[in-house]
Amino acid sequence: MALLQPKLSLKVAQRQILTPGLMQMVSVLALNKLELKELINTEIVENPVLEELEESVPLIDDLAQKEAERERSVEETAAQADRDKRDPFDEIDFGSYFQDYLDPGFRTPNGFEQSDKPSFENFLSQPSTLADHLSWQLGSLNVSRNLRAAAEYVVGNLDEDGYLLAGDEELLAGFEQEYQPAPGAPTLGAAELLAEAVQLVQNLDPVGVATRTLRECLLVQIEAHRREVQLQLERQRAAAMEAHAGSAANEADPAGPHDDRLQVCALAARIVDQHLLLLQKRDLREMSKVLTAQPDAIQLAIDFIRSLDPRPGQRFNRSDARLIEPDVAFVKRGGEFVVVMNEEDLPTLRLNHGYRKLLSQQGTERDVKDYVKERYRSALQLMRNIEQRKNTILRTCEAIVRRQGEFLERGVDALKPMMIKDVAEEIGVHPSTVSRAVSSKYVHTSQGVFELRFFFSEGVHGPEGGSTPLMLLKRKVKKLIDEEDPRKPLTDDLIASMLEAQGIDVTRRTVAKYREDLRIPSTHQRRVRD
């Protein structure tokens, strides 16, 4: 029996290892302008060798001449002493780097129009949430302390849409653990108190919160609207009674259109409560039959239901519009479109000249020199990566301009299919490099502001042997459905046949997939029945 023994063995394997510089280059390429600005500001704080070039800095030519005269004698004496002990770090041509990164006379021309900056109030003000809005209303109501506590507990269990997802038992179990009746107040059971609190919250603004189903939410809104119309009707009748007291006009009913609105509310409540499925199918004929009402009255009730909010709490959860700052612009100059990088407000980096002296000064400690060298290497690597990012984006965008010239002239209908791998082969890089170059970046064109990924789309067989981008194909499908007869909606087979007549070869399943991507209902759901 062989015994287990420790032994040494050699194994040859290949592994792809990313150096820190390469990892930084990959990450910098994927950043947009705002993210790159944040990265540069962070590096300036952490790396003392890097500094931002201010607008008021004098030209480097004037400074370089004075500095050269002052350091020439020192460098000549130090060069002879260091000639025998050369450090590989000294072989770096700092002159070229300082010429590139210290020259404040060069500025990338600004090809963007001046725009109004957002107000600081947009950043300092905090939007009100649904819970804040409901709690503020509860604070203004004259209710008992116990009921207020129960209502606040109900508000805390609402989701973003305003629905109360917890069941009665779950809600009651959690409330009983926190419920502490106020001394001296009339005592109610926790279940009765919660039921009253739920009803109270349902009638706050927005009406319909604290409900559990869509049917209940719509019914609460309909009932609130009915009470409002009823109150207006009573006020109008009271005013008419006072104005025409004792006269024959007192016999006339001043209700007018309010009675019609009450009838619409009653019919809408019946539809939501009993025939919500028929409403979803838009089957007016069947609804008119089961409700014994005229189609015109049914249509008025349906229009009123459409005005209700199925997610009343969503209005307080809307995120603010995200500000987009384009990284590049396609500008037409001399009859041709050129690519202009947007470097406005982007810090211009340069190397601190004072730390360079520490490397040549006699008596500088070795630890200090090693630290300064490491910081110089990090700073130079960052500058190279930023320059490489700029060149890659420019080459990618120039390839886009060459391929999408008709789009820039005529608009979306002239967009051509374009693949990332085709652009990568044209500029001689890997497809992943192009993918990072266009990631989360926007371009300003004569047709508007678009994400760079917008220009990349697969194609299908189109007219005359060409190809049509998928985005345009989806637009065609949507246009055909928008122009259809609601009583006789187009089927997926018919849409595929109509597209085939235009020279676009697609199947029924492809049309169905695009329709689902556009969130367009099926033919059966789109049909409107008389």
Side-chain angles (χ1 to χ4, degrees), residues 130 133-134 137 158 161-164 198-228 304-305 307-316:
L130 176 62
H133 184 64
L134 295 175
Q137 295 178 73
L158 301 181
D161 295 333
Y163 284 91
L164 184 61
V198 169
Q199 187 175 4
L200 174 63
V201 176
Q202 287 178 352
N203 289 278
L204 296 178
D205 179 67
V207 179
V209 297
T211 54
R212 290 186 171 90
T213 62
L214 175 62
R215 176 181 284 103
E216 184 182 1
C217 177
L218 297 179
L219 288 176
V220 169
Q221 296 182 53
I222 293 173
E223 177 61 22
H225 186 76
R226 188 199 64 78
R227 290 197 304 265
E228 181 181 355
F304 170 64
I305 295 174
S307 66
L308 304 179
D309 191 353
R311 296 186 293 178
Q314 193 61 238
R315 71 181 71 169
F316 294 94

Side-chain angles (χ1 to χ4, degrees), residues 160-262:
E160 295 182 353
D161 295 333
Y163 284 91
L164 184 61
L165 300 181
D168 291 335
E169 296 180 358
E170 181 183 357
L171 196 67
L172 180 59
F175 180 66
E176 287 178 342
Q177 298 178 0
E178 303 178 5
Y179 179 47
Q180 296 180 356
T187 58
L188 288 177
E192 293 81 0
L193 194 61
L194 268 180
E196 186 177 354
V198 169
Q199 187 175 4
L200 174 63
V201 176
Q202 287 178 352
N203 289 278
L204 296 178
D205 179 67
V207 179
V209 297
T211 54
R212 290 186 171 90
T213 62
L214 175 62
R215 176 181 284 103
E216 184 182 1
C217 177
L218 297 179
L219 288 176
V220 169
Q221 296 182 53
I222 293 173
E223 177 61 22
H225 186 76
R226 188 199 64 78
R227 290 197 304 265
E228 181 181 355
V229 174
Q230 185 67 35
L231 182 60
Q232 294 177 1
L233 178 59
E234 293 176 357
R235 289 177 179 174
Q236 185 174 355
R237 285 175 176 173
M241 291 285 290
E242 294 178 0
H244 304 284
S247 63
N250 187 28
E251 300 177 357
D253 187 4
H258 291 286
D259 284 341
D260 296 336
R261 293 168 61 184
L262 290 175

Side-chain angles (χ1 to χ4, degrees), residues 462-466 503:
E464 300 178 0

Side-chain angles (χ1 to χ4, degrees), residues 23-143:
M23 293 177 60
Q24 186 187 64
M25 182 188 69
V26 171
S27 61
V28 168
L29 180 60
L31 300 179
N32 57 32
K33 178 189 172 183
L34 298 179
E35 295 169 342
L36 178 62
K37 181 179 179 180
E38 182 179 356
L39 173 66
I40 292 176
N41 291 332
T42 303
E43 290 292 332
I44 291 176
V45 173
E46 296 178 354
N47 193 342
V49 175
L50 282 174
E51 61 182 8
E52 181 180 358
L53 186 63
E54 303 291 342
E55 295 288 342
S56 58
V57 174
L59 293 177
I60 193 60
D61 294 339
D62 300 335
L63 297 178
Q65 183 177 1
K66 297 179 181 180
E67 188 69 20
E69 294 176 357
R70 186 169 53 192
E71 295 185 355
R72 184 177 297 112
S73 58
V74 178
E75 292 179 354
E76 289 177 355
T77 55
Q80 186 65 28
D82 297 340
R83 189 167 300 169
D84 298 334
K85 300 179 180 180
R86 296 186 60 86
D87 192 333
F89 183 79
D90 297 332
E91 297 179 2
I92 298 178
D93 186 7
F94 282 102
S96 61
Y97 289 115
F98 276 82
Q99 186 67 24
D100 294 338
Y101 300 115
L102 286 178
D103 187 3
F106 175 76
R107 290 288 188 274
T108 301
N110 182 16
F112 290 77
E113 298 180 357
Q114 295 293 335
S115 58
D116 295 335
K117 301 298 182 183
S119 171
F120 280 103
E121 296 179 356
N122 295 338
F123 305 98
L124 299 178
S125 60
Q126 182 178 2
S128 176
T129 63
L130 176 62
D132 295 336
H133 184 64
L134 295 175
S135 298
W136 173 78
Q137 295 178 73
L138 289 175
S140 62
L141 297 178
N142 185 18
V143 295

Side-chain angles (χ1 to χ4, degrees), residues 482-520:
D482 291 341
E483 296 176 351
E484 69 182 3
D485 185 0
R487 295 174 177 81
K488 296 180 180 180
L490 300 175
T491 62
D492 295 338
D493 285 326
L494 186 56
I495 294 176
S497 301
M498 297 174 68
L499 292 175
E500 187 176 358
Q502 300 178 17
I504 303 175
D505 186 14
V506 292
T507 62
R508 182 199 63 81
R509 297 182 62 182
T510 303
V511 172
K513 180 180 180 299
Y514 295 160
R515 178 178 53 76
E516 293 174 357
D517 293 342
L518 296 171
R519 297 183 179 181
I520 298 177

Side-chain angles (χ1 to χ4, degrees), residues 255-414:
H258 291 286
D259 284 341
D260 296 336
R261 293 168 61 184
L262 290 175
Q263 295 176 5
V264 171
C265 290
L267 187 57
R270 292 180 59 190
I271 293 175
V272 171
D273 188 30
Q274 304 173 10
H275 308 289
L276 199 57
L277 184 59
L278 292 178
L279 177 63
Q280 181 182 359
K281 295 180 178 179
R282 302 182 182 181
D283 196 342
L284 297 181
R285 182 182 304 173
E286 187 65 22
M287 277 191 289
S288 178
K289 183 187 301 183
V290 298
L291 294 172
T292 63
Q294 295 295 326
D296 294 341
I298 297 291
Q299 187 62 49
L300 289 176
I302 292 177
D303 293 340
F304 170 64
I305 295 174
R306 288 176 178 172
S307 66
L308 304 179
D309 191 353
R311 296 186 293 178
Q314 193 61 238
R315 71 181 71 169
F316 294 94
N317 296 305
R318 295 175 181 172
S319 57
D320 296 334
R322 184 164 60 97
L323 298 178
I324 293 176
E325 189 169 0
D327 293 78
V328 293
F330 297 161
V331 183
K332 192 171 186 179
R333 293 177 180 173
E336 296 182 354
F337 285 95
V338 296
V339 180
V340 179
M341 291 291 296
N342 179 16
E343 296 181 338
E344 182 184 5
D345 297 333
L346 198 64
T348 303
L349 295 178
R350 73 170 183 177
L351 301 174
N352 189 299
H353 194 68
Y355 284 93
R356 184 187 179 188
K357 297 180 180 179
L358 293 177
L359 299 176
S360 58
Q361 286 179 353
Q362 298 293 337
T364 304
E365 296 182 1
R366 184 173 183 83
D367 293 342
V368 175
K369 283 189 176 182
D370 293 341
Y371 173 76
V372 173
K373 289 178 182 179
E374 190 275 329
R375 293 289 84 191
Y376 261 111
R377 291 191 184 98
S378 176
L380 291 174
Q381 185 66 50
L382 178 62
M383 290 181 175
R384 293 193 194 102
N385 293 335
I386 294 176
E387 190 68 21
Q388 180 68 24
R389 170 188 178 273
K390 178 180 177 180
N391 293 334
T392 304
I393 294 177
L394 281 175
R395 292 165 58 195
T396 303
C397 291
E398 289 172 355
I400 294 176
V401 169
R402 288 191 293 269
R403 292 171 175 264
Q404 301 291 353
E406 295 184 6
F407 163 82
L408 299 175
E409 293 284 358
R410 295 161 46 193
V412 179
D413 292 336

